[in-house]
Amino acid sequence: MPRFFVNKEDINGEHAFINGADAVHIGRSLRMRLGDELTVCCEGKDYTCRLDSVSDEQCGLTVLSVSEGSGEPSVRVTLYQAVPKSDKLELIVQKAVELGASEIVPVLTSRCVSRPDEKSFRKKRERLNKIALEAAKQCGRSIVPTVGDIISVEECAKRLGEHELGLICYEKGGAPLSETVSADRRDIGIFIGSEGGFDEAEVEKCRAEGAKVIGMGPRIMRCETAPIAAIAVVMSLTGNI
Amino acid sequence: MPRFFVNKEDINGEHAFINGADAVHIGRSLRMRLGDELTVCCEGKDYTCRLDSVSDEQCGLTVLSVSEGSGEPSVRVTLYQAVPKSDKLELIVQKAVELGASEIVPVLTSRCVSRPDEKSFRKKRERLNKIALEAAKQCGRSIVPTVGDIISVEECAKRLGEHELGLICYEKGGAPLSETVSADRRDIGIFIGSEGGFDEAEVEKCRAEGAKVIGMGPRIMRCETAPIAAIAVVMSLTGNI
């Protein structure tokens, strides 16, 4: 069933509304008819709705049933990703959302070759959030994970320390995820490097704030492979894959 | 240290040889000098070598030490991948190699939209094997995983039955990998669908040959995400990530 994300004010008791581009999409691309059913997602809940009216501006819906979003894992994973070259962040965002990450935060480390300034990243961020939204719809998430603003390593280290479990994946080795992530964890932050990984001072900063250093085995993964693999493994260890 | 794969006949006691394009690469692109060290990989062993001579045809080397290839996981994973659309198989092959798969075998299922004939796939397969070789060098494998010829679902089911553990990932659900793959497994075959997944008869065929049906959680992964996630989780469960 097609899924659409709406804001809280678009659900009013038994009635729900879908506005703008999504309304056009429902009427013109999907060619849905009055009486057809679709899923409206709002703040982690899934609303099964019936289509009552369609126009290019707004679709009107009747809420048939509500359930806790089935697409959400039991663990909230925040991916802190050092900005990689070219468009690799797009692949990373798409896959992280599919695998169940809740938030993606780009980080500027000393080894980042790509160093976008605030203004140029604002545009990129818009695009990344669009990719996150599309991935969330496609894979059946009940929330839309967000892509945040770029932060510094210092800020990232601080935030890692605030998670129930903060992890930094270091190419020079550390404990395996399977020995570090227990099944009952509910809030994990994972920091992954860009091409060339981390310098030791960066790892130390994160460790000093309480993050655990993780090794991902002897094979050197590309910087877009490591976050995908790490999130998949974390989801498996917490019973979500 | 740069890694090069050679054939058995290119290692002769204390002497090793690198021929053709790799020799040009060493001399011209990498600009290595006599006396520099590099790693030669052959049949799962890593040979640390010293460069004695360079030409566009051949590099001559002295073997300094030999070790069991450190880049190989303890489990041999064969990925049976239903042929996806466009160039997604390229991404799958690259990531599967990085994560430690030993062989990738394309399979033609009823829901494959892309249905290359033998001749057109032969060219594609050449390109896929090149991608596998590059990924193997880059990530530090000690063997070059191969991309096989396209096989039928019947043949795939039969081969799954011959592995120590055969798995088919079904979007309609099954047991999680974490309950199916024990740490001591040494030979696993995993069958992943294309866009649209499997039809039930195909799943039944594999089950009849002894394959276990796996579910990957409530989120519907894209067909290129599922193999990457599955191999990552299998490598974690067997202590290789």
Side-chain angles (χ1 to χ4, degrees):
Chain A
M1 211 185 301
R3 297 171 79 83
F4 297 90
F5 289 92
V6 303
N7 297 319
K8 202 171 176 167
E9 57 268 27
D10 296 322
I11 297 184
N12 186 353
E14 274 184 24
H15 300 284
F17 302 93
I18 296 175
N19 302 301
D22 279 344
V24 177
H25 187 60
I26 287 170
R28 296 186 183 266
S29 310
L30 298 177
R31 299 187 182 192
M32 294 189 77
R33 290 155 182 247
L34 303 188
D36 282 355
E37 293 187 9
L38 50 78
T39 305
V40 168
C41 307
C42 182
E43 296 192 337
K45 287 199 168 64
D46 291 354
Y47 298 79
T48 303
C49 297
R50 190 186 60 217
L51 194 59
D52 294 335
S53 67
V54 182
S55 79
D56 279 356
E57 283 73 44
Q58 189 174 66
C59 295
L61 307 139
T62 299
V63 175
L64 303 176
S65 63
V66 193
S67 62
E68 281 304 313
S70 59
E72 291 312 304
S74 62
V75 61
R76 188 182 153 80
V77 171
T78 305
L79 172 64
Y80 298 93
Q81 175 67 49
V83 179
K85 280 196 269 187
S86 69
D87 54 3
K88 286 182 198 163
L89 202 49
E90 299 188 2
L91 179 78
I92 294 171
V93 166
Q94 185 188 64
K95 299 306 171 218
V97 170
E98 280 178 65
L99 290 166
S102 293
E103 195 182 350
I104 297 103
V105 182
V107 186
L108 216 53
T109 67
S110 66
R111 296 199 184 158
C112 287
V113 174
S114 166
R115 309 190 76 85
D117 58 37
E118 215 175 295
K119 200 182 142 196
S120 76
F121 189 72
R122 210 173 302 145
K123 239 182 141 171
K124 207 171 190 171
R125 189 182 157 195
E126 236 172 75
R127 189 171 152 66
L128 292 168
N129 272 307
K130 218 174 252 176
I131 289 171
L133 171 63
E134 288 312 314
K137 281 186 192 171
Q138 193 261 344
C139 74
R141 295 290 298 267
S142 302
I143 64 155
V144 185
T146 52
V147 180
D149 260 333
I150 294 185
I151 63 172
S152 66
V153 172
E154 288 70 27
E155 174 64 21
C156 181
K158 208 183 114 238
R159 293 201 200 172
L160 283 177
E162 290 164 1
H163 286 282
E164 187 190 355
L165 178 64
L167 306 172
I168 176 169
C169 291
Y170 191 30
E171 66 280 7
K172 291 194 181 152
L177 283 168
S178 57
E179 290 175 14
T180 314
V181 178
S182 54
D184 59 347
R185 292 294 183 178
R186 291 293 170 264
D187 170 44
I188 300 176
I190 312 177
F191 190 11
I192 309 266
S194 61
E195 298 86 357
F198 292 109
D199 74 30
E200 215 170 306
E202 291 171 332
V203 177
E204 275 318 309
K205 263 178 210 163
C206 295
R207 205 201 303 257
E209 296 283 350
K212 298 238 190 312
V213 182
I214 296 294
M216 300 267 289
R219 285 168 300 286
I220 298 146
M221 294 178 197
R222 281 172 206 254
C223 70
E224 74 275 18
T225 314
I228 304 173
I231 298 173
V233 171
V234 165
M235 289 298 166
S236 171
L237 292 169
T238 54
N240 290 292
I241 268 187
Chain B
M1 211 184 302
R3 296 171 78 83
F4 297 90
F5 289 92
V6 303
N7 298 318
K8 202 170 176 169
E9 57 267 28
D10 296 321
I11 297 185
N12 187 353
E14 275 183 24
H15 300 285
F17 302 93
I18 296 175
N19 302 302
D22 278 345
V24 177
H25 187 61
I26 287 170
R28 296 186 183 264
S29 310
L30 298 177
R31 297 185 185 197
M32 294 188 77
R33 290 156 183 245
L34 303 188
D36 283 355
E37 292 187 10
L38 50 78
T39 305
V40 168
C41 307
C42 182
E43 297 191 337
K45 286 199 168 65
D46 290 355
Y47 298 79
T48 302
C49 297
R50 189 185 61 219
L51 194 58
D52 294 333
S53 67
V54 182
S55 79
D56 280 356
E57 283 73 44
Q58 190 175 65
C59 295
L61 307 139
T62 299
V63 175
L64 304 176
S65 63
V66 193
S67 61
E68 280 305 313
S70 59
E72 291 312 304
S74 63
V75 60
R76 189 183 153 80
V77 171
T78 306
L79 171 64
Y80 298 94
Q81 175 66 51
V83 179
K85 280 196 269 189
S86 69
D87 54 3
K88 286 182 197 164
L89 202 50
E90 299 187 2
L91 180 77
I92 295 171
V93 166
Q94 185 189 63
K95 299 307 170 216
V97 169
E98 279 178 64
L99 290 166
S102 293
E103 196 182 349
I104 297 103
V105 183
V107 186
L108 217 52
T109 68
S110 66
R111 297 200 183 156
C112 287
V113 174
S114 167
R115 309 190 76 83
D117 59 37
E118 212 174 299
K119 200 182 145 198
S120 76
F121 189 74
R122 208 173 304 145
K123 239 183 142 172
K124 206 171 191 172
R125 190 181 156 196
E126 234 172 77
R127 188 170 152 67
L128 291 168
N129 272 308
K130 218 175 255 179
I131 289 172
L133 170 63
E134 287 312 315
K137 280 185 194 173
Q138 193 262 342
C139 74
R141 295 289 299 266
S142 302
I143 64 155
V144 184
T146 51
V147 180
D149 261 332
I150 294 185
I151 62 171
S152 66
V153 172
E154 289 68 27
E155 174 65 19
C156 181
K158 207 182 116 240
R159 292 200 200 174
L160 283 178
E162 290 164 0
H163 286 282
E164 187 192 354
L165 178 63
L167 307 172
I168 175 168
C169 292
Y170 191 30
E171 65 282 6
K172 293 195 178 149
L177 283 167
S178 57
E179 291 174 14
T180 313
V181 179
S182 54
D184 58 348
R185 293 294 183 176
R186 291 291 171 265
D187 169 44
I188 298 176
I190 311 176
F191 190 11
I192 309 266
S194 61
E195 297 88 357
F198 292 109
D199 73 29
E200 215 170 305
E202 291 171 331
V203 177
E204 275 319 309
K205 262 179 210 163
C206 295
R207 205 200 303 258
E209 296 283 350
K212 299 240 189 310
V213 182
I214 295 295
M216 299 268 289
R219 286 168 300 287
I220 299 145
M221 294 178 199
R222 282 171 206 254
C223 71
E224 74 275 18
T225 314
I228 304 174
I231 298 173
V233 171
V234 165
M235 288 298 166
S236 171
L237 292 168
T238 54
N240 290 293
I241 267 187

